[in-house]
Amino acid sequence: MTPSTLYDEECTPSPANVEEGKVVKKKVSSLRTWGPAMIAMALVIALNAALLGPSGENVPALSDQALNKRALSEARTAQVSAMANDAQGDRYLSRTYKIRDLSEEEGGMMEYTRRRHRYLGEYVHVDVSDQFSVFGKISVSVIYFAFWVFLMFPNWFLPIGRPGIAMGGGLTMVVWRYILVVSGQGPIFDAEKVIIMEPLFLLFGLMLTTIYLEKMERGGLFDKLRDSLDDPVNWKRSGKIMLMSTIGSAAVMNDSIVLIFSGVVVDLCVRHKVANSLPYLLSLATTANIGSAYTMTGNPQNILIVSLAYDDIGWTEFLMNMVLPVTVASILNATMMFLYYRGELFPGSSGLMENVGIMFAGNRTPEMLAQEHAYYARQAAAKEAEGEMGDIQHGWTIWSKLQVVIVIAFLICFGMGFDVCVVSICAGAILMVLAAYKRQHYDPKPDMTEYDAEGNPLPPKKTYDMDGNEIEPEEEELVTESETTLTEVDYGLLMLFIGQFVLIGSFNDTGVPQAFFNLTMGGCADQMTSVPCVYWFVLIVTVLSNLASNVPVVQMLAATFPYASPYDWLQVSFSATIAGNLTMLGSAANMIVAFQAAKVGDRTFTSERHAPFGIPSTLVCLYAGTFLLSTVHFAPECSEKLGECG
């Protein structure tokens, strides 16, 4: 599929030109492309300036509740620091710190707090910024931002691709950190520690599962899922993608959904010969990020937040608080999608009112009717061709039913709280064994007969040894999974994440993100989720999530504010998740969509094409959702375990 040019020019077919086979190309102005993003950013700046003052002079003084929390936090930290540490026992805290309700014999609340602080101090965040010189901090930051730009715009320089750029950046950072250590400009860099293995295991397992769901059987579960998203009407097809992505991300995890359905969306675009696949890929990526904010298992940062929160946050409590803001954000994102890409999604429409009539009154334009007729004609031709071939089953075969059983078991294990990495890899391994058994015992053997120019079969060739004796043909060598399906795993995607982990981990060591947060928050740091500071806080979290990634931002906040309330963490979760739609590097889901689409030849999902829609959509959804979450929430604004709720 050739890359779309709709970012620079808009194709407007007219009846006369369609008959002649020509398409009029209309130049799209920069104002049309970037206008919504510029307006959204200006409104956000104006809103915060009006609430807090141009220089922050309107930041309210700390309330009695905030002062009480600060005092309790300092006292609790001092008590924990005075407790004796068990060096031998602390080696196992990463497995036992999650036990929140310890008995009095086990140490009670103070022992739980001590274990948690040991966990935070040794695993999540270690502050080594004071061991850097000024030159060390600046040089590491320059390297990070240079490769950040390379990753954002990979085609501006050499055609290396994001995986190669990320690995090159990671290796460059490791070498440079060694030079800093030798020259006394920085501390030792533990690169192995900053590589988070869980997402890598999860991605590998999901890729393995996806490949076997797709390749095991023609007309199987994967093809049925794809057909369920198909529709001759463009806006309905986009709406189906958004609905599936939103619900699926909340249930399974956003990375899983985009990994499974990126190729499906591109295939649908190819099937319908759309002029621009970007709206459909954006429909998948943006709603996967937004929908994942519904539940505590929707994305990696939510899982981490629930683990690191000082107070308990239940699955139902998390969902109940997020239903309203996330639902509104989903509706706003879909509305903006239909408005911004109305030319592609409503072909032939004359304007907004006609679009409304198309959606709610069932109206059709001539172009839409032509698309529907072509769609049903293709379906009829495909059924006729399948009838002649007679080798495609549309029902549920035993293999499709087994796929459904495995997928349901996967979802049940996931919902019961089993390790998602282990579950996904096990599902992929079971499907691999099943596919190998099917190919060996049930699939027809490949026809090795050779034919002459007239189509007549040739007798099998005979071979002889040096003495003239005929060599009996050996049994047909089996083709293994290692030679076929396993080679389709995107190991380049794993390289991309490894390189990014190293780059981000080294950048966080400098303390620059933490300094940026403390400097920009100012007097709002101790009241970050109270109005009006919350609107500035979510903006800072959004910026940091796109510069230093959302998971490290969550880790930093957990160490900086160890006694944050459940409501504080819900605001962090919402803003860090919605922030993923701001830029291409804002979330792993965006990178997966871009990588998977490019793998099948669609390179329309780029940073410069993502940003004009991603920026206004993110800011509108972020501030609307933040307002609703701050107004209507059920999570306590105080920490019960800290004793500030009494």
Side-chain angles (χ1 to χ4, degrees):
M1 181 176 180
T2 57
S4 170
T5 59
L6 197 63
Y7 174 75
D8 299 315
E9 53 195 8
E10 202 171 76
C11 299
T12 308
S14 63
N17 291 326
V18 171
E19 292 178 2
E20 298 175 4
K22 299 179 181 178
V23 175
V24 177
K25 293 182 178 180
K26 179 182 176 182
K27 189 72 175 180
V28 177
S29 65
S30 298
L31 183 61
R32 162 70 174 83
T33 302
W34 292 98
M38 296 169 63
I39 293 173
M41 289 188 290
L43 290 176
V44 166
I45 294 173
L47 174 64
N48 283 284
L51 292 174
L52 302 176
S55 58
E57 63 271 12
N58 294 337
V59 174
L62 290 179
S63 63
D64 292 339
Q65 180 182 353
L67 292 172
N68 180 49
K69 181 170 185 175
R70 176 192 286 180
L72 289 173
S73 300
E74 293 173 353
R76 180 65 56 87
T77 301
Q79 291 174 335
V80 171
S81 300
M83 296 176 66
N85 288 324
D86 179 7
Q88 183 68 22
D90 287 343
R91 295 174 56 192
Y92 305 98
L93 293 186
S94 61
R95 299 179 181 178
T96 60
Y97 89 100
K98 295 180 182 179
I99 302 176
R100 299 177 182 270
D101 299 318
L102 298 177
S103 64
E104 292 299 326
E105 292 77 12
E106 295 172 317
M109 178 57 60
M110 292 304 299
E111 175 61 17
Y112 158 72
T113 307
R114 187 193 74 83
R115 294 184 182 185
R116 182 175 176 278
H117 274 254
R118 292 288 292 168
Y119 182 84
L120 289 174
E122 294 188 358
Y123 180 76
V124 173
H125 177 76
V126 178
D127 186 7
V128 294
S129 58
D130 58 337
Q131 301 179 37
F132 281 92
S133 65
V134 175
F135 171 76
K137 290 184 178 182
I138 293 176
S139 60
V140 170
S141 300
V142 167
I143 292 174
Y144 174 78
F145 281 109
F147 280 95
W148 188 88
V149 173
F150 296 158
L151 286 168
M152 185 71 77
F153 309 104
N155 298 325
W156 281 13
F157 304 96
L158 296 176
I160 298 176
R162 285 193 174 92
I165 293 172
M167 286 302 297
L171 293 174
T172 301
M173 191 66 80
V174 170
V175 172
W176 183 247
R177 288 292 298 270
Y178 175 75
I179 294 174
L180 292 180
V181 172
V182 173
S183 59
Q185 302 290 325
I188 295 175
F189 180 40
D190 190 354
E192 181 182 357
K193 185 176 180 180
V194 300
I195 298 175
I196 307 175
M197 299 303 297
E198 286 79 2
L200 301 178
F201 292 145
L202 177 61
L203 280 176
F204 176 78
L206 290 175
M207 284 189 286
L208 197 64
T209 303
T210 303
I211 289 170
Y212 279 106
L213 287 176
E214 181 181 6
K215 302 294 183 182
M216 182 181 293
E217 183 182 29
R218 185 180 178 186
L221 178 62
F222 196 86
D223 290 333
K224 288 178 172 59
L225 289 174
R226 178 187 57 198
D227 293 340
S228 68
L229 298 178
D230 200 2
D231 197 283
V233 181
N234 290 0
W235 73 267
K236 287 186 178 180
R237 190 161 61 252
S238 174
K240 286 183 177 181
I241 293 171
M242 287 190 280
L243 181 62
M244 175 278 303
S245 180
T246 300
I247 297 175
S249 297
V252 182
M253 188 178 285
N254 58 351
D255 295 349
S256 314
I257 294 300
V258 297
L259 188 64
I260 293 172
F261 286 99
S262 295
V264 172
V265 172
V266 173
D267 181 70
L268 290 175
C269 293
V270 173
R271 178 186 298 184
H272 290 274
K273 301 178 182 178
V274 300
N276 181 22
S277 62
L278 184 60
Y280 307 97
L281 293 173
L282 279 172
S283 297
L284 175 66
T286 56
T287 52
N289 287 323
I290 295 174
S292 69
Y294 270 118
T295 63
M296 62 183 357
T297 55
N299 54 59
Q301 63 267 21
N302 283 1
I303 296 174
L304 185 63
I305 282 173
V306 174
S307 299
L308 298 181
Y310 191 54
D311 293 78
D312 300 327
I313 303 178
W315 196 93
T316 305
E317 178 186 5
F318 194 102
L319 175 63
M320 291 296 293
N321 282 274
M322 288 297 191
V323 163
L324 180 60
V326 176
T327 301
V328 171
S330 300
I331 295 173
L332 289 173
N333 181 74
T335 303
M336 294 181 68
M337 183 73 68
F338 291 153
L339 287 174
Y340 197 86
Y341 292 103
R342 56 188 178 274
E344 167 64 35
L345 300 178
F346 300 92
S349 175
S350 60
L352 177 61
M353 294 309 298
E354 187 172 0
N355 293 349
V356 173
I358 290 172
M359 293 181 63
F360 297 104
N363 299 337
R364 295 287 189 274
T365 64
E367 289 80 359
M368 297 173 68
L369 289 173
Q371 289 180 345
E372 291 188 27
H373 293 159
Y375 171 79
Y376 292 119
R378 287 196 304 269
Q379 277 196 329
K383 289 181 179 179
E384 183 178 352
E386 291 171 4
E388 294 177 358
M389 294 173 60
D391 61 344
I392 299 178
Q393 300 185 32
H394 292 281
W396 290 90
T397 66
I398 183 62
W399 308 109
S400 297
K401 294 177 181 178
L402 288 174
Q403 286 181 330
V404 172
V405 170
I406 293 171
V407 170
I408 292 176
F410 167 81
L411 295 176
I412 292 175
C413 292
F414 190 91
M416 292 177 64
F418 289 97
D419 190 289
V420 293
C421 305
V422 176
V423 171
S424 60
I425 292 177
C426 287
I430 293 172
L431 286 170
M432 178 177 65
V433 173
L434 191 64
Y437 181 82
K438 175 178 177 291
R439 188 175 69 247
Q440 182 177 1
H441 296 286
Y442 288 89
D443 288 351
K445 302 300 180 183
D447 185 9
M448 306 301 293
T449 305
E450 297 182 357
Y451 299 86
D452 58 19
E454 298 178 354
N456 299 315
L458 297 174
K461 294 181 179 180
K462 296 183 179 181
T463 55
Y464 301 88
D465 59 18
M466 296 181 63
D467 298 329
N469 301 317
E470 182 180 351
I471 301 176
E472 295 293 333
E474 298 180 0
E475 292 186 5
E476 181 183 352
E477 184 177 354
L478 294 177
V479 179
T480 66
E481 295 299 314
S482 301
E483 298 169 319
T484 55
T485 312
L486 284 179
T487 60
E488 298 186 28
V489 173
D490 291 326
Y491 298 102
L493 186 61
L494 302 178
M495 291 174 55
L496 171 64
F497 280 92
I498 292 173
Q500 280 192 299
F501 285 147
V502 175
L503 282 168
I504 293 169
S506 181
F507 179 57
N508 287 335
D509 279 353
T510 64
V512 172
Q514 296 88 326
F516 174 82
F517 178 83
N518 293 327
L519 177 65
T520 53
M521 285 301 296
C524 283
D526 288 325
Q527 47 185 336
M528 55 189 181
T529 57
S530 62
V531 179
C533 286
V534 65
Y535 297 106
W536 181 245
F537 170 69
V538 296
L539 180 61
I540 299 304
V541 171
T542 299
V543 173
L544 281 175
S545 295
N546 282 269
L547 292 179
S549 188
N550 42 27
V551 171
V553 168
V554 169
Q555 295 173 336
M556 177 193 74
L557 291 174
T560 308
F561 303 100
Y563 307 107
S565 68
Y567 167 68
D568 295 338
W569 279 120
L570 289 174
Q571 285 286 9
V572 172
S573 169
F574 182 79
S575 57
T577 300
I578 301 299
N581 287 334
L582 189 72
T583 65
M584 177 72 79
L585 300 183
S587 75
N590 294 342
M591 302 296 292
I592 293 172
V593 171
F595 191 86
Q596 294 293 94
K599 189 181 71 169
V600 293
D602 189 333
R603 291 178 172 81
T604 58
F605 196 74
T606 61
S607 299
E608 58 269 29
R609 291 184 171 98
H610 175 279
F613 176 80
I615 292 174
S617 171
T618 299
L619 295 179
V620 169
C621 295
L622 176 70
Y623 275 83
T626 299
F627 169 76
L628 292 172
L629 184 57
S630 61
T631 305
V632 181
H633 58 268
F634 312 102
E637 299 182 16
C638 55
S639 172
E640 295 182 2
K641 292 186 181 295
L642 186 61
E644 63 170 319
C645 296

